[in-house]
Amino acid sequence: MTANFLNPHHDAQVAHPQARQVWWRTSDSTIWPLAGVALLLVLQFTLVFTRAINWDEYSYFRGVAWLADGQSLRPLQSIHTRLFFWLPGLFTTSTDHIVASRTVMFACELVTLASIFAVARRFSDNCTAAFAMLAYISAGFVLQHGTSFRVDPIATALLCSALAILALSRLRPLHILAFGALTGLAPMVSIKVVLYAPAFLGVAFLRLSEGGWQRGQLMRLASCGVAALLFFGAIYWLHAQGVTGETSATAASAEVLARSRSWAFFLGVPPYWRMMGKAFLTAPMMAAIILCLPFAIGKAQITKAGKVALIGLWLPVLSLLFYTNTAAYFYVFLFAPLAMAGAPVLQIAIHRYSSRNLALLMLAAASFIWMIEDRGMIERQRQVERNVHQIFSGPVAYFDHNYMLGGWPKGNGLMTPWGIALYQIEGVPAFRMAMEEETIPLFLANYPDLEHAITGESPSFFLPEDIEALRNNYIEFSWPIWIAGKTYDSPQSGTVDEFLVPGTYTVEEGPIGVDGVMHDVGTTLEISRGAHIIDIEDGGTAKLVWGDRLSRPVVPIASGPLYTDF
């Protein structure tokens, strides 16, 4: 089962006594790729704590916080909320919660790396399999996003370990149950796991061929499929009992699938083609595997079934031609089966450049990505949350881009490209409607699109009704924090103005008259939702700020980016 199909003499060459005398002087030692993997794991572990939180990591933590608070969720693609039930309440900020969760993602990546080695070793030797791991972790996007708090590291670990069981085990009952549990859980994490279907089919074909197409082997493989379906059904049912609330699990799942179909696929130019180019430029070995593997397989001295298996592991790369959501973190998911299949290309590279030189080249490229990380951004993100907590003694409803405040009630949806597209297609002033239904005193301008909508510095995709409601009801309090409020500069006496955020207001500049009653600076008043008559002394100014004498943050933040580019 572990024979080297590509170069049957390689193991003997590696095992030569002189090749092991002084490993650091040996150009073809397996130690070089293993040392490269170990060093990159150390570097990557530092990124767990120092890499800026990507905006969608906040949205994933939101689901965990919501479930802990008893709120309902859709059953599909929310199982991670169960896995991290222990997380909410450990820290003050969402940023620190996400950093803690990244340690779990790091463990998931270790499982993925072990699975890559195991499957790659199925088609090659120890040195080549070690390089398969190095090719994966040295890829720029994997180094950066392999431990991100997203579903991709979890789904990848589940599927890769299932592939290892399928490729290497004797498919006894315990193996079949383990395979079923892993592949049954995977769709609950993300429905994009279907993109691995060719990989599983290719490995299954190899096992059938090696088993002589016997009925017993066919039955064992069929049992793997049945076990996967049964585990999926059981996990789905159990998970749905506690997350769907008043909405039926079937309806909630149908909504997820319908929205996915409308957004998940494209025809024509890939929407993330720039990231695709960056993915290949920062992962030259993975790019070589993608481009050269079909040709290298044709020349490889392996069985036809082995070639089918390798092609099956390679085929998920074609999803780049039709699957929409191929942002940087997607390559954590995509590159794993490609690394498993890369033995024919990796062995050519090892022969041409030597184990030492190839490992050093891959390590140098990845180390450069690590060195240029912006390690100060995460503290800016953490300080934004601290400032919000200093202003508000408890959770309030808010608008923002990406659920930065964890379990706090949010008045708008996630402003992803998908969310923005739905907002524009529906053509409904969702922000104004939310303000008419609930009290939303906080507008967190934590993304340029939101800041442009409220400042008018550049064109915005927001509907005119929403732009007017936001600009007329929020004032900048301490960047990027905008709070419900009004500023008046010498308006005509008896001006009628609409308030969409009811509650207690503090007069910060004045005096000001509201509905015929004058209020001095420093006093508070209650203002209901609706139109009110405003009076200002001739030549005077006035300012109303929501809340009872809210304090400005002790550590203000200068305007600037809050997220790094992918």
Side-chain angles (χ1 to χ4, degrees):
M1 297 292 288
T2 57
N4 179 6
F5 297 114
L6 301 175
N7 184 359
H9 304 294
H10 185 85
D11 290 334
Q13 294 169 0
V14 173
H16 193 280
Q18 278 195 316
R20 295 181 180 274
Q21 282 183 345
V22 186
W23 67 264
W24 57 86
R25 295 179 183 175
T26 304
S27 62
D28 61 350
S29 173
T30 304
I31 291 294
W32 288 105
L34 290 178
V37 170
L39 179 57
L40 289 182
L41 283 174
V42 172
L43 297 181
Q44 188 183 46
F45 192 68
T46 67
L47 295 182
V48 167
F49 306 95
T50 60
R51 177 170 171 77
I53 308 297
N54 286 108
W55 53 263
D56 53 339
E57 290 184 271
Y58 285 110
S59 71
Y60 281 114
F61 174 67
R62 170 261 311 182
V64 177
W66 277 10
L67 186 66
D69 196 37
Q71 300 188 49
S72 62
L73 300 168
R74 300 184 184 94
L76 281 178
Q77 303 191 126
S78 65
I79 195 69
H80 71 282
T81 60
R82 300 282 192 187
L83 303 177
F84 291 92
F85 71 93
W86 49 270
L87 191 58
L90 291 181
F91 306 97
T92 302
T93 67
S94 297
T95 300
D96 289 314
H97 282 103
I98 292 168
V99 168
S101 72
R102 285 175 169 181
T103 60
V104 178
M105 300 304 173
F106 183 78
C108 288
E109 186 179 77
L110 294 179
V111 173
T112 296
L113 287 170
S115 301
I116 289 173
F117 181 88
V119 177
R121 181 67 182 82
R122 175 71 168 73
F123 299 102
S124 57
D125 53 74
N126 289 335
C127 183
T128 306
F131 266 106
M133 290 193 296
L134 184 58
Y136 179 74
I137 195 174
S138 67
F141 282 160
V142 175
L143 186 70
Q144 291 178 314
H145 301 280
T147 59
S148 293
F149 186 39
R150 297 185 176 92
V151 296
D152 300 84
I154 304 173
T156 306
L158 291 171
L159 293 178
C160 287
S161 52
L163 278 169
I165 290 173
L166 186 63
L168 300 170
S169 75
R170 297 184 178 181
L171 296 181
R172 290 175 176 170
L174 285 179
H175 301 145
I176 293 171
L177 288 175
F179 178 89
L182 293 168
T183 52
L185 180 59
M188 296 295 296
V189 174
S190 174
I191 57 177
K192 68 184 173 188
V193 298
V194 298
L195 299 177
Y196 268 46
F200 282 93
L201 291 174
V203 175
F205 181 87
L206 174 63
R207 296 303 305 271
L208 273 174
S209 177
E210 289 180 341
W213 299 91
Q214 295 179 359
R215 182 178 178 182
Q217 185 76 327
L218 181 62
M219 292 299 295
R220 284 188 286 271
L221 289 170
S223 297
C224 287
V226 172
L229 290 175
L230 291 176
F231 270 101
F232 171 74
I235 296 170
Y236 177 89
W237 183 83
L238 290 171
H239 176 55
Q241 301 308 303
V243 301
T244 52
E246 297 179 358
T247 304
S248 71
T250 303
S253 300
E255 182 182 357
V256 171
L257 294 173
R259 287 179 174 241
S260 298
R261 284 194 299 269
S262 65
W263 171 255
F265 306 105
F266 72 91
L267 292 174
V269 179
Y272 292 114
W273 63 270
R274 289 184 179 86
M275 290 190 194
M276 191 183 302
K278 185 177 178 180
F280 295 155
L281 288 174
T282 58
M285 182 51 65
M286 292 305 309
I289 290 173
I290 290 170
L291 296 175
C292 302
L293 186 62
F295 306 101
I297 289 175
K299 297 180 179 180
Q301 300 299 312
I302 58 177
T303 64
K304 290 183 179 180
K307 293 181 178 181
V308 169
L310 293 178
I311 285 293
L313 290 166
W314 177 86
L315 279 176
V317 74
L318 298 184
S319 61
L320 294 173
L321 302 178
F322 59 84
Y323 181 65
T324 299
N325 195 17
T326 55
Y329 47 83
F330 176 72
Y331 293 89
V332 174
F333 177 82
L334 178 67
F335 280 167
L338 298 176
M340 292 175 174
V345 176
L346 288 169
Q347 287 194 337
I348 293 172
I350 294 168
H351 177 74
R352 178 169 299 181
Y353 300 106
S354 84
S355 177
R356 178 185 59 202
N357 293 341
L358 184 61
L360 290 176
L361 285 172
M362 295 166 70
L363 184 61
S367 298
F368 176 75
I369 299 297
W370 179 83
M371 290 172 59
I372 63 175
E373 276 292 321
D374 185 347
R375 290 168 173 79
M377 185 72 71
I378 191 170
E379 185 55 33
R380 277 172 60 84
Q381 297 170 327
R382 189 178 282 115
Q383 191 61 50
V384 168
E385 293 191 77
R386 288 172 180 162
N387 288 354
V388 171
H389 288 292
Q390 288 178 22
I391 296 169
F392 298 99
S393 59
V396 298
Y398 72 107
F399 290 127
D400 93 321
H401 177 262
N402 57 312
Y403 295 92
M404 193 175 196
L405 301 179
W408 287 29
K410 193 168 185 291
N412 65 306
L414 184 62
M415 304 303 291
T416 61
W418 180 8
I420 292 171
L422 290 175
Y423 169 79
Q424 293 176 319
I425 291 171
E426 292 172 356
V428 175
F431 288 79
R432 180 182 175 88
M433 291 173 61
M435 295 167 71
E436 291 173 342
E437 294 177 0
E438 59 181 317
T439 301
I440 307 177
L442 173 59
F443 183 96
L444 194 57
N446 56 352
Y447 209 74
D449 290 335
L450 278 82
E451 192 166 14
H452 296 161
I454 203 166
T455 62
E457 294 177 359
S458 64
S460 171
F461 66 83
F462 280 70
L463 298 176
E465 299 94 329
D466 282 338
I467 291 176
E468 181 182 1
L470 294 173
R471 293 179 185 173
N472 191 44
N473 283 275
Y474 295 94
I475 58 175
E476 187 171 350
F477 193 74
S478 177
W479 191 92
I481 300 166
W482 293 60
I483 291 178
K486 303 273 190 175
T487 56
Y488 299 100
D489 185 8
S490 301
Q492 294 182 354
S493 180
T495 297
V496 178
D497 196 7
E498 183 183 30
F499 285 72
L500 289 174
V501 185
T504 301
Y505 280 77
T506 300
V507 181
E508 288 199 351
E509 295 179 20
I512 182 174
V514 179
D515 296 330
V517 180
M518 295 302 297
H519 301 272
D520 294 325
V521 175
T523 61
T524 61
L525 65 152
E526 296 295 323
I527 299 179
S528 60
R529 183 183 287 112
H532 295 272
I533 301 174
I534 304 298
D535 293 299
I536 306 294
E537 293 181 351
D538 291 341
T541 61
K543 179 187 290 186
L544 292 170
V545 179
W546 191 93
D548 187 354
R549 303 176 183 88
L550 299 178
S551 299
R552 281 170 171 74
V554 176
V555 183
I557 302 173
S559 177
L562 285 173
Y563 304 100
T564 57
D565 293 331
F566 284 117

PDB file of all heavy atoms in Angstrom, residues 321-340:
ATOM      1  N   LEU A 321     -12.905  27.928 -12.231  1.00  0.00           N
ATOM      2  CA  LEU A 321     -13.512  28.356 -13.485  1.00  0.00           C
ATOM      3  C   LEU A 321     -15.018  28.587 -13.381  1.00  0.00           C
ATOM      4  O   LEU A 321     -15.617  29.137 -14.308  1.00  0.00           O
ATOM      5  CB  LEU A 321     -13.244  27.316 -14.573  1.00  0.00           C
ATOM      6  CG  LEU A 321     -11.775  26.999 -14.852  1.00  0.00           C
ATOM      7  CD1 LEU A 321     -11.665  25.921 -15.910  1.00  0.00           C
ATOM      8  CD2 LEU A 321     -11.020  28.258 -15.260  1.00  0.00           C
ATOM      9  N   PHE A 322     -15.634  28.172 -12.248  1.00  0.00           N
ATOM     10  CA  PHE A 322     -17.088  28.355 -12.153  1.00  0.00           C
ATOM     11  C   PHE A 322     -17.570  28.696 -10.746  1.00  0.00           C
ATOM     12  O   PHE A 322     -18.700  29.150 -10.579  1.00  0.00           O
ATOM     13  CB  PHE A 322     -17.814  27.084 -12.630  1.00  0.00           C
ATOM     14  CG  PHE A 322     -17.475  25.842 -11.855  1.00  0.00           C
ATOM     15  CD1 PHE A 322     -18.127  25.537 -10.658  1.00  0.00           C
ATOM     16  CD2 PHE A 322     -16.503  24.958 -12.312  1.00  0.00           C
ATOM     17  CE1 PHE A 322     -17.822  24.390  -9.950  1.00  0.00           C
ATOM     18  CE2 PHE A 322     -16.178  23.806 -11.603  1.00  0.00           C
ATOM     19  CZ  PHE A 322     -16.845  23.523 -10.416  1.00  0.00           C
ATOM     20  N   TYR A 323     -16.741  28.496  -9.723  1.00  0.00           N
ATOM     21  CA  TYR A 323     -17.167  28.761  -8.349  1.00  0.00           C
ATOM     22  C   TYR A 323     -16.802  30.190  -7.972  1.00  0.00           C
ATOM     23  O   TYR A 323     -15.659  30.628  -8.150  1.00  0.00           O
ATOM     24  CB  TYR A 323     -16.514  27.766  -7.398  1.00  0.00           C
ATOM     25  CG  TYR A 323     -16.909  27.935  -5.951  1.00  0.00           C
ATOM     26  CD1 TYR A 323     -18.222  27.723  -5.543  1.00  0.00           C
ATOM     27  CD2 TYR A 323     -15.977  28.318  -4.989  1.00  0.00           C
ATOM     28  CE1 TYR A 323     -18.584  27.882  -4.215  1.00  0.00           C
ATOM     29  CE2 TYR A 323     -16.336  28.467  -3.669  1.00  0.00           C
ATOM     30  CZ  TYR A 323     -17.644  28.252  -3.280  1.00  0.00           C
ATOM     31  OH  TYR A 323     -18.008  28.411  -1.977  1.00  0.00           O
ATOM     32  N   THR A 324     -17.771  30.929  -7.442  1.00  0.00           N
ATOM     33  CA  THR A 324     -17.590  32.367  -7.225  1.00  0.00           C
ATOM     34  C   THR A 324     -16.686  32.688  -6.051  1.00  0.00           C
ATOM     35  O   THR A 324     -15.746  33.484  -6.171  1.00  0.00           O
ATOM     36  CB  THR A 324     -18.961  33.046  -7.002  1.00  0.00           C
ATOM     37  OG1 THR A 324     -19.770  32.852  -8.163  1.00  0.00           O
ATOM     38  CG2 THR A 324     -18.785  34.537  -6.728  1.00  0.00           C
ATOM     39  N   ASN A 325     -16.951  32.102  -4.903  1.00  0.00           N
ATOM     40  CA  ASN A 325     -16.308  32.548  -3.662  1.00  0.00           C
ATOM     41  C   ASN A 325     -14.906  31.972  -3.517  1.00  0.00           C
ATOM     42  O   ASN A 325     -14.620  31.149  -2.647  1.00  0.00           O
ATOM     43  CB  ASN A 325     -17.172  32.165  -2.460  1.00  0.00           C
ATOM     44  CG  ASN A 325     -16.746  32.898  -1.205  1.00  0.00           C
ATOM     45  OD1 ASN A 325     -16.040  33.888  -1.263  1.00  0.00           O
ATOM     46  ND2 ASN A 325     -17.182  32.399  -0.072  1.00  0.00           N
ATOM     47  N   THR A 326     -14.001  32.434  -4.388  1.00  0.00           N
ATOM     48  CA  THR A 326     -12.623  31.951  -4.379  1.00  0.00           C
ATOM     49  C   THR A 326     -11.683  33.044  -3.874  1.00  0.00           C
ATOM     50  O   THR A 326     -10.641  33.305  -4.475  1.00  0.00           O
ATOM     51  CB  THR A 326     -12.202  31.489  -5.786  1.00  0.00           C
ATOM     52  OG1 THR A 326     -12.413  32.580  -6.707  1.00  0.00           O
ATOM     53  CG2 THR A 326     -13.018  30.297  -6.227  1.00  0.00           C
ATOM     54  N   ALA A 327     -12.076  33.698  -2.780  1.00  0.00           N
ATOM     55  CA  ALA A 327     -11.209  34.681  -2.151  1.00  0.00           C
ATOM     56  C   ALA A 327     -10.019  33.972  -1.519  1.00  0.00           C
ATOM     57  O   ALA A 327      -9.905  32.738  -1.562  1.00  0.00           O
ATOM     58  CB  ALA A 327     -11.990  35.480  -1.115  1.00  0.00           C
ATOM     59  N   ALA A 328      -9.132  34.740  -0.893  1.00  0.00           N
ATOM     60  CA  ALA A 328      -7.837  34.206  -0.457  1.00  0.00           C
ATOM     61  C   ALA A 328      -7.971  32.965   0.420  1.00  0.00           C
ATOM     62  O   ALA A 328      -7.222  31.989   0.256  1.00  0.00           O
ATOM     63  CB  ALA A 328      -7.077  35.304   0.287  1.00  0.00           C
ATOM     64  N   TYR A 329      -8.924  32.978   1.351  1.00  0.00           N
ATOM     65  CA  TYR A 329      -9.057  31.861   2.282  1.00  0.00           C
ATOM     66  C   TYR A 329      -9.499  30.568   1.591  1.00  0.00           C
ATOM     67  O   TYR A 329      -9.314  29.476   2.127  1.00  0.00           O
ATOM     68  CB  TYR A 329     -10.047  32.214   3.390  1.00  0.00           C
ATOM     69  CG  TYR A 329     -11.329  32.835   2.899  1.00  0.00           C
ATOM     70  CD1 TYR A 329     -12.378  32.055   2.441  1.00  0.00           C
ATOM     71  CD2 TYR A 329     -11.490  34.216   2.882  1.00  0.00           C
ATOM     72  CE1 TYR A 329     -13.544  32.616   1.974  1.00  0.00           C
ATOM     73  CE2 TYR A 329     -12.664  34.801   2.414  1.00  0.00           C
ATOM     74  CZ  TYR A 329     -13.684  33.995   1.965  1.00  0.00           C
ATOM     75  OH  TYR A 329     -14.842  34.556   1.494  1.00  0.00           O
ATOM     76  N   PHE A 330     -10.066  30.662   0.389  1.00  0.00           N
ATOM     77  CA  PHE A 330     -10.512  29.467  -0.324  1.00  0.00           C
ATOM     78  C   PHE A 330      -9.341  28.548  -0.651  1.00  0.00           C
ATOM     79  O   PHE A 330      -9.504  27.320  -0.750  1.00  0.00           O
ATOM     80  CB  PHE A 330     -11.235  29.880  -1.609  1.00  0.00           C
ATOM     81  CG  PHE A 330     -11.657  28.733  -2.492  1.00  0.00           C
ATOM     82  CD1 PHE A 330     -12.704  27.907  -2.125  1.00  0.00           C
ATOM     83  CD2 PHE A 330     -11.008  28.478  -3.689  1.00  0.00           C
ATOM     84  CE1 PHE A 330     -13.100  26.848  -2.929  1.00  0.00           C
ATOM     85  CE2 PHE A 330     -11.397  27.430  -4.509  1.00  0.00           C
ATOM     86  CZ  PHE A 330     -12.443  26.613  -4.120  1.00  0.00           C
ATOM     87  N   TYR A 331      -8.151  29.116  -0.807  1.00  0.00           N
ATOM     88  CA  TYR A 331      -7.004  28.311  -1.215  1.00  0.00           C
ATOM     89  C   TYR A 331      -6.507  27.409  -0.093  1.00  0.00           C
ATOM     90  O   TYR A 331      -5.797  26.437  -0.353  1.00  0.00           O
ATOM     91  CB  TYR A 331      -5.897  29.227  -1.738  1.00  0.00           C
ATOM     92  CG  TYR A 331      -6.327  29.905  -3.020  1.00  0.00           C
ATOM     93  CD1 TYR A 331      -7.009  31.120  -2.993  1.00  0.00           C
ATOM     94  CD2 TYR A 331      -6.114  29.300  -4.250  1.00  0.00           C
ATOM     95  CE1 TYR A 331      -7.453  31.719  -4.163  1.00  0.00           C
ATOM     96  CE2 TYR A 331      -6.554  29.890  -5.430  1.00  0.00           C
ATOM     97  CZ  TYR A 331      -7.228  31.101  -5.376  1.00  0.00           C
ATOM     98  OH  TYR A 331      -7.677  31.680  -6.535  1.00  0.00           O
ATOM     99  N   VAL A 332      -6.865  27.720   1.142  1.00  0.00           N
ATOM    100  CA  VAL A 332      -6.618  26.775   2.236  1.00  0.00           C
ATOM    101  C   VAL A 332      -7.349  25.470   1.953  1.00  0.00           C
ATOM    102  O   VAL A 332      -6.824  24.370   2.198  1.00  0.00           O
ATOM    103  CB  VAL A 332      -7.096  27.383   3.573  1.00  0.00           C
ATOM    104  CG1 VAL A 332      -6.988  26.373   4.711  1.00  0.00           C
ATOM    105  CG2 VAL A 332      -6.313  28.654   3.890  1.00  0.00           C
ATOM    106  N   PHE A 333      -8.540  25.578   1.420  1.00  0.00           N
ATOM    107  CA  PHE A 333      -9.386  24.438   1.086  1.00  0.00           C
ATOM    108  C   PHE A 333      -8.946  23.770  -0.215  1.00  0.00           C
ATOM    109  O   PHE A 333      -8.884  22.547  -0.318  1.00  0.00           O
ATOM    110  CB  PHE A 333     -10.829  24.938   0.987  1.00  0.00           C
ATOM    111  CG  PHE A 333     -11.845  23.926   0.583  1.00  0.00           C
ATOM    112  CD1 PHE A 333     -12.390  23.051   1.510  1.00  0.00           C
ATOM    113  CD2 PHE A 333     -12.298  23.857  -0.726  1.00  0.00           C
ATOM    114  CE1 PHE A 333     -13.350  22.123   1.136  1.00  0.00           C
ATOM    115  CE2 PHE A 333     -13.259  22.939  -1.106  1.00  0.00           C
ATOM    116  CZ  PHE A 333     -13.783  22.071  -0.172  1.00  0.00           C
ATOM    117  N   LEU A 334      -8.603  24.583  -1.212  1.00  0.00           N
ATOM    118  CA  LEU A 334      -8.327  24.069  -2.549  1.00  0.00           C
ATOM    119  C   LEU A 334      -6.977  23.380  -2.662  1.00  0.00           C
ATOM    120  O   LEU A 334      -6.845  22.340  -3.328  1.00  0.00           O
ATOM    121  CB  LEU A 334      -8.402  25.222  -3.561  1.00  0.00           C
ATOM    122  CG  LEU A 334      -8.092  24.867  -5.011  1.00  0.00           C
ATOM    123  CD1 LEU A 334      -9.162  23.941  -5.575  1.00  0.00           C
ATOM    124  CD2 LEU A 334      -7.964  26.126  -5.864  1.00  0.00           C
ATOM    125  N   PHE A 335      -5.950  23.933  -2.036  1.00  0.00           N
ATOM    126  CA  PHE A 335      -4.593  23.446  -2.259  1.00  0.00           C
ATOM    127  C   PHE A 335      -4.312  22.098  -1.605  1.00  0.00           C
ATOM    128  O   PHE A 335      -3.361  21.409  -1.994  1.00  0.00           O
ATOM    129  CB  PHE A 335      -3.581  24.473  -1.740  1.00  0.00           C
ATOM    130  CG  PHE A 335      -3.351  25.629  -2.682  1.00  0.00           C
ATOM    131  CD1 PHE A 335      -2.679  26.766  -2.251  1.00  0.00           C
ATOM    132  CD2 PHE A 335      -3.789  25.585  -3.990  1.00  0.00           C
ATOM    133  CE1 PHE A 335      -2.450  27.830  -3.100  1.00  0.00           C
ATOM    134  CE2 PHE A 335      -3.574  26.650  -4.862  1.00  0.00           C
ATOM    135  CZ  PHE A 335      -2.897  27.778  -4.412  1.00  0.00           C
ATOM    136  N   ALA A 336      -5.106  21.688  -0.610  1.00  0.00           N
ATOM    137  CA  ALA A 336      -4.798  20.445   0.107  1.00  0.00           C
ATOM    138  C   ALA A 336      -4.821  19.213  -0.797  1.00  0.00           C
ATOM    139  O   ALA A 336      -3.842  18.447  -0.825  1.00  0.00           O
ATOM    140  CB  ALA A 336      -5.737  20.282   1.295  1.00  0.00           C
ATOM    141  N   PRO A 337      -5.907  18.942  -1.555  1.00  0.00           N
ATOM    142  CA  PRO A 337      -5.873  17.751  -2.414  1.00  0.00           C
ATOM    143  C   PRO A 337      -4.851  17.878  -3.541  1.00  0.00           C
ATOM    144  O   PRO A 337      -4.302  16.856  -3.997  1.00  0.00           O
ATOM    145  CB  PRO A 337      -7.306  17.668  -2.959  1.00  0.00           C
ATOM    146  CG  PRO A 337      -7.839  19.057  -2.855  1.00  0.00           C
ATOM    147  CD  PRO A 337      -7.208  19.633  -1.637  1.00  0.00           C
ATOM    148  N   LEU A 338      -4.570  19.106  -3.972  1.00  0.00           N
ATOM    149  CA  LEU A 338      -3.555  19.290  -5.010  1.00  0.00           C
ATOM    150  C   LEU A 338      -2.181  18.916  -4.482  1.00  0.00           C
ATOM    151  O   LEU A 338      -1.370  18.327  -5.199  1.00  0.00           O
ATOM    152  CB  LEU A 338      -3.556  20.742  -5.493  1.00  0.00           C
ATOM    153  CG  LEU A 338      -4.853  21.224  -6.143  1.00  0.00           C
ATOM    154  CD1 LEU A 338      -4.765  22.707  -6.479  1.00  0.00           C
ATOM    155  CD2 LEU A 338      -5.156  20.432  -7.396  1.00  0.00           C
ATOM    156  N   ALA A 339      -1.906  19.269  -3.223  1.00  0.00           N
ATOM    157  CA  ALA A 339      -0.634  18.872  -2.628  1.00  0.00           C
ATOM    158  C   ALA A 339      -0.531  17.358  -2.515  1.00  0.00           C
ATOM    159  O   ALA A 339       0.538  16.771  -2.738  1.00  0.00           O
ATOM    160  CB  ALA A 339      -0.485  19.522  -1.254  1.00  0.00           C
ATOM    161  N   MET A 340      -1.642  16.691  -2.177  1.00  0.00           N
ATOM    162  CA  MET A 340      -1.643  15.224  -2.115  1.00  0.00           C
ATOM    163  C   MET A 340      -1.281  14.608  -3.457  1.00  0.00           C
ATOM    164  O   MET A 340      -0.605  13.581  -3.530  1.00  0.00           O
ATOM    165  CB  MET A 340      -3.023  14.725  -1.704  1.00  0.00           C
ATOM    166  CG  MET A 340      -3.427  15.046  -0.287  1.00  0.00           C
ATOM    167  SD  MET A 340      -5.141  14.518   0.006  1.00  0.00           S
ATOM    168  CE  MET A 340      -5.305  14.819   1.767  1.00  0.00           C
TER     169      MET A 340
END
